[in-house]
Structures are given as C-alpha cells and as structure tokens.
Amino acid sequence: EAGVVQSPRYKIIEKKQPVAFWCNPISGHNTLYWYRQNLGQGPELLIRYENEEAVDDSQLPKDRFSAERLKGVDSTLKIQPAELGDSAVYLCASSSGTLEAFFGQGTRLTVV
Amino acid sequence: GENVEQHPSTLSVQEGDSAVIKCTYSDSASNYFPWYKQELGKRPQLIIDIRSNVGEKKDQRIAVTLNKTAKHFSLHITETQPEDSAVYFCAATLYALNFGKGTSLLVTP
C-alpha cells in the first residue's frame, strides 16, 4: 500500500510569488491534515479535512493561504503571495478516523 | 485549544542506558496520545501510541505511560541504541494532533 504522497519535495521561490503543494492521502483515509513544521519545532496544524469538508481551519492564515480537497481525496495547499517567513516544511498527513495519522515526506519551501 | 509541553528539549545518553521523555497537556478531553520519531530530513513516523482508557503500553524496548489525572504522559526507551538517535515528538488529540516542540535524543556508542 502506498503511503501519503506529496509533491514537490522541494520548492524555492521568490517572495511575493505564488506556490502550491499537492497531497495524495492513503487510499480510504477520509481525514486529511496539512501541517507546517519550522526548523527545530513540532508540526503545527494548518487545516483538517473530513472528506471534502474543512472542519478545522482556525490556524490557517486566510489572507494568503488557501486549501481545497474537492473530491475528498487529493488536496492542494496554496500560498499567495509567499513571504520570507513562510519558509518551512509543509507536511500532509491522513488517517482513517482512528486518529493514527500517517505523514507524507513533506515539501520543503524556501522563500528568498 | 490543546497545549502540549515536552521536555527535555535535548537528551544525551550512552548506548544501553534508558531514556525518558515527558509531556503534559492542557485539554482534559484529549483521548489519544501518540509518539512520533523524526530522523533528519525525513517524515515523522509513529512509534507508539496510547489511548485514554489505558495507563501503560509496551512494544519491545519502547513503553508509554499515561496519567490522565495529572495530564501527563511519558515515553520510555530502554537499552538505547545509536539508531534511536532522532527527534521525538509527543502529541495529544481529541480530533487533530497537537504536537510538543520535540526532544532531540542522541545515543552515543
């Protein structure tokens, strides 16, 4: 069984440019999470989906961040425009409702 | 929301010794407490978890204990090996994982 797949693995962009990350969760997992992990810190939740519904987006900076999970499977996370402080690893995770979450490899974003 | 405190932030032990990492949480409604291991540049991987109806769980050299009254839980690694060196994160959750800041464990031969 394939794990959580994220792309791209690395992204370098100039500030003020847009960027998008893609996540394909484990098949059958109805819950999908996006986390941001700054260097030396634990992952911080940005948004949680139950199927296609965003049930917790309280930590998502909505002025520049957006996310979607249109068919309740794949998800994209977008930043527009990116700022220097957005440099981090963006992790996607999924679970089947048992709360055991499996993480993808992450996308390392560098904003210059 | 849930607030998870983790300590120590760094821990150095000699191979064969035991390592203990402790976490506290704030939301008494949290009912699931996983521990993740993250090696440099890799994804967090679940190593053990415990639910609120259990006080202790063991898997080979790794054990987790939970004290719901005091709202704290701990990870115990016995007979540590160099390959145990990594960053360990605790988390507490009712619906979504809230992570501690991590403990960098170094096991020296």
Side-chain angles (χ1 to χ4, degrees):
Chain A
E1 178 182 289
V4 177
V5 178
Q6 291 187 246
S7 68
R9 288 293 312 279
Y10 305 93
K11 189 74 176 178
I12 301 175
I13 61 170
E14 293 185 343
K15 62 182 180 182
K16 300 185 181 180
Q17 295 302 304
V19 64
F21 315 124
W22 175 81
C23 173
N24 179 241
I26 293 173
S27 178
H29 281 194
N30 57 313
T31 305
L32 183 146
Y33 315 81
W34 282 102
Y35 284 87
R36 176 170 60 189
Q37 186 174 26
N38 292 307
L39 190 64
Q41 300 292 318
E44 297 175 329
L45 180 69
L46 292 174
I47 190 168
R48 174 172 66 97
Y49 281 94
E50 295 289 345
N51 299 304
E52 66 275 10
E53 182 180 0
V55 294
D56 183 358
D57 62 356
S58 57
Q59 301 303 311
L60 190 71
K62 298 181 184 61
D63 57 336
R64 299 183 299 108
F65 286 64
S66 63
E68 60 182 15
R69 193 185 185 199
L70 292 176
K71 296 184 178 180
V73 181
D74 294 0
S75 177
T76 56
L77 177 69
K78 298 178 182 178
I79 308 175
Q80 182 172 11
E83 298 178 351
L84 295 176
D86 296 330
S87 295
V89 175
Y90 290 83
L91 292 163
C92 177
S94 70
S95 69
S96 63
T98 62
L99 299 179
E100 183 176 339
F102 296 89
F103 283 85
Q105 292 276 39
T107 296
R108 181 176 298 278
L109 173 67
T110 302
V111 182
V112 298
Chain B
E2 176 65 273
N3 182 44
V4 179
E5 300 285 340
Q6 181 174 349
H7 57 94
S9 57
T10 61
L11 180 59
S12 182
V13 300
Q14 287 208 316
E15 183 177 1
D17 288 349
S18 296
V20 180
I21 302 170
K22 298 182 179 183
C23 289
T24 60
Y25 61 99
S26 60
D27 190 345
S28 57
S30 290
N31 59 6
Y32 176 65
F33 307 90
W35 287 86
Y36 284 81
K37 176 183 181 182
Q38 188 174 32
E39 297 176 344
L40 190 63
K42 297 191 176 181
R43 75 185 81 190
Q45 293 200 303
L46 180 70
I47 56 171
I48 195 168
D49 56 13
I50 192 167
R51 299 186 186 273
S52 59
N53 58 345
V54 176
E56 184 174 355
K57 183 177 179 180
K58 189 174 182 180
D59 182 4
Q60 299 182 348
R61 297 186 297 108
I62 294 173
V64 58
T65 58
L66 171 65
N67 184 327
K68 283 223 73 178
T69 302
K71 291 191 282 188
H72 65 70
F73 56 114
S74 301
L75 176 71
H76 304 254
I77 306 175
T78 59
E79 301 172 22
T80 54
Q81 302 168 2
E83 51 265 39
D84 294 330
S85 297
V87 179
Y88 291 80
F89 293 99
C90 64
T93 183
L94 183 55
Y95 297 111
L97 296 173
N98 296 278
F99 286 88
K101 292 188 182 300
T103 296
S104 179
L105 173 65
L106 177 64
V107 180
T108 54

